[in-house]
Amino acid sequence: MARKNANDDPLAPVTLAVGQEDLLLDRAVREVVAAARAADADTDVRDLTPDQLQPGTLAELTSPSLFAERKVVVVRNAQDLSADTVKDVKAYLGSPAEEITLVLLHAGGAKGKGLLDAARKAGAREVACPKMTKPADRLAFVRGEFRSSGRSATPEACQTLCDAIGSDLRELAAAVSQLVADVEGTIDEAVVGRYYTGRAEASSFTVADRAVEGRTAEALEALRWSLATGVAPVLITSALAQGVRAIGKLSSARGGRPADLARELGMPPWKIDRVRQQMRGWTPDGVALAMRAVAEADAGVKGGGDDPEYALEKAVVTIARAARSRGRG
């Protein structure tokens, strides 16, 4: 779960969500919005990307309203804001407006550190949303999900769920929700095994996610695990194709709010946010190269080659390299 500082009031003038775990970042935003709408059902929510928050935009959004309406202003990827916009945000931090809650989502790290430091100095409520790279962290997350749902799960059940689903926190959270909804009493290893062990869809999409993120070693590890647990190669090529197509679709779409892009591209809003994170290193040539690699792998696993596993490994490596193509040359 996301870790908070001593100021746990979601209606604090400024909330700073720091980290790169998309699920936790989204939950930090939802918590603030829910609290604001509990206080005022007509709360206006503005969810902005760096390209939408131009110099002067924040002043417009936070200027006094004739009707004194409550407002939540969410700024995603705050580390990518332009220098002039950062000046606006820093000025606002010194004198935040009443009835307005500013939520800054920042990846942490060196980029945009000046804004991060300024928000902390101004006393912003901070929510830590670190990427959970260690198996022990993901196991603790699953246990926490069961506890927050008021349900009991054995340690073996939690471990089995992590082994079956993999490293995607959204998938893990969704699996816990399904088990809580479907199963009465204590959730044990046998129950998890019936539902999730070897689940093809989850493991194949883990391969695709790691590949389009340029994480070659992790993608190959996920691929080998999927194949070892009996996932059909054709499901993996399908997941790879969907992952690369999503990058291509969003790369060519005009900027906009996740909800608007979701309608335009036929994706759920949460996936828009995930693909935005994944597409940072991609170029149009990289997308084209990756699509050719997927097509070749698809032919290879459907009888056009002698070794389907090699065809998949080759595609995964090519896609991961294409994901890091920006800036290379």
Side-chain angles (χ1 to χ4, degrees):
M1 298 175 67
R3 298 189 300 274
K4 304 170 187 176
N5 63 10
N7 177 12
D8 282 348
D9 181 8
L11 292 182
V14 181
T15 286
L16 178 65
V18 184
Q20 299 181 43
E21 186 54 69
D22 292 340
L23 174 66
L24 301 183
L25 291 167
D26 285 347
R27 285 184 174 181
V29 172
R30 288 201 301 269
E31 182 183 28
V32 172
V33 171
R37 286 184 169 156
D40 181 354
D42 294 326
T43 294
D44 181 22
V45 178
R46 302 296 179 92
D47 198 323
L48 306 171
T49 55
D51 61 304
Q52 294 172 310
L53 193 66
Q54 298 298 317
T57 303
L58 184 61
E60 294 176 9
L61 291 173
T62 57
S63 60
S65 167
L66 178 63
F67 303 103
E69 64 180 351
R70 182 175 290 277
K71 186 179 295 183
V72 175
V73 178
V74 180
V75 179
R76 296 184 182 272
N77 299 316
Q79 72 280 355
D80 295 330
L81 291 172
S82 69
D84 288 338
T85 303
V86 167
K87 291 180 182 177
D88 288 352
V89 177
K90 286 182 176 179
Y92 177 81
L93 292 173
S95 182
E98 293 185 9
E99 301 299 316
I100 293 177
T101 299
L102 176 65
V103 184
L104 298 174
L105 275 58
H106 194 292
K111 187 176 183 181
K113 190 173 185 297
L115 177 58
L116 192 62
D117 292 342
R120 286 170 171 162
K121 186 176 180 180
R125 167 182 178 257
E126 185 167 343
V127 181
C129 306
K131 203 77 175 174
M132 295 191 181
T133 57
K134 297 179 180 178
D137 292 338
R138 293 192 289 272
L139 182 59
F141 171 79
V142 168
R143 290 172 176 165
E145 290 291 287
F146 280 117
R147 281 197 301 270
S148 64
S149 299
R151 296 296 300 278
S152 176
T154 66
E156 294 80 10
C158 294
Q159 185 63 64
T160 299
L161 191 61
C162 289
D163 292 342
I165 299 299
S167 60
D168 191 301
L169 253 58
R170 290 187 189 277
E171 292 280 358
L172 287 168
V176 170
S177 296
Q178 182 173 15
L179 288 166
V180 166
D182 291 357
V183 180
E184 295 182 357
T186 299
I187 296 165
D188 59 20
E189 183 179 6
V191 169
V192 175
R194 288 200 304 271
Y195 272 74
Y196 292 106
T197 298
R199 194 176 67 156
E201 182 181 10
S203 57
S204 61
F205 280 104
T206 298
V207 177
D209 283 340
R210 299 298 84 79
V212 300
E213 290 162 3
R215 294 154 66 177
T216 308
E218 293 179 42
L220 289 172
E221 180 182 2
L223 171 63
R224 289 162 189 151
W225 183 88
S226 297
L227 293 171
T229 55
V231 177
V234 68
L235 293 178
I236 299 174
T237 55
S238 176
L240 290 171
Q242 290 186 47
V244 176
R245 279 200 298 268
I247 297 290
K249 283 182 179 181
L250 196 55
S251 297
S252 60
R254 295 180 179 178
R257 298 176 60 184
D260 297 330
L261 286 170
R263 286 191 294 270
E264 178 184 344
L265 303 178
M267 300 179 190
W270 65 261
K271 189 168 184 179
I272 296 291
D273 291 332
R274 176 191 289 179
V275 176
R276 274 180 170 159
Q277 295 290 326
Q278 294 173 333
M279 63 186 280
R280 287 178 177 173
W282 285 88
T283 64
D285 288 342
V287 173
L289 177 64
M291 287 305 300
R292 287 196 298 271
V294 171
E296 291 173 2
D298 190 53
V301 303
K302 291 179 178 177
D306 296 328
D307 190 343
E309 293 187 17
Y310 172 75
L312 286 169
E313 287 188 1
K314 182 180 177 182
V316 164
V317 170
T318 301
I319 292 168
R321 287 176 177 170
R324 301 192 302 271
S325 59
R326 189 180 299 279
R328 289 167 50 191

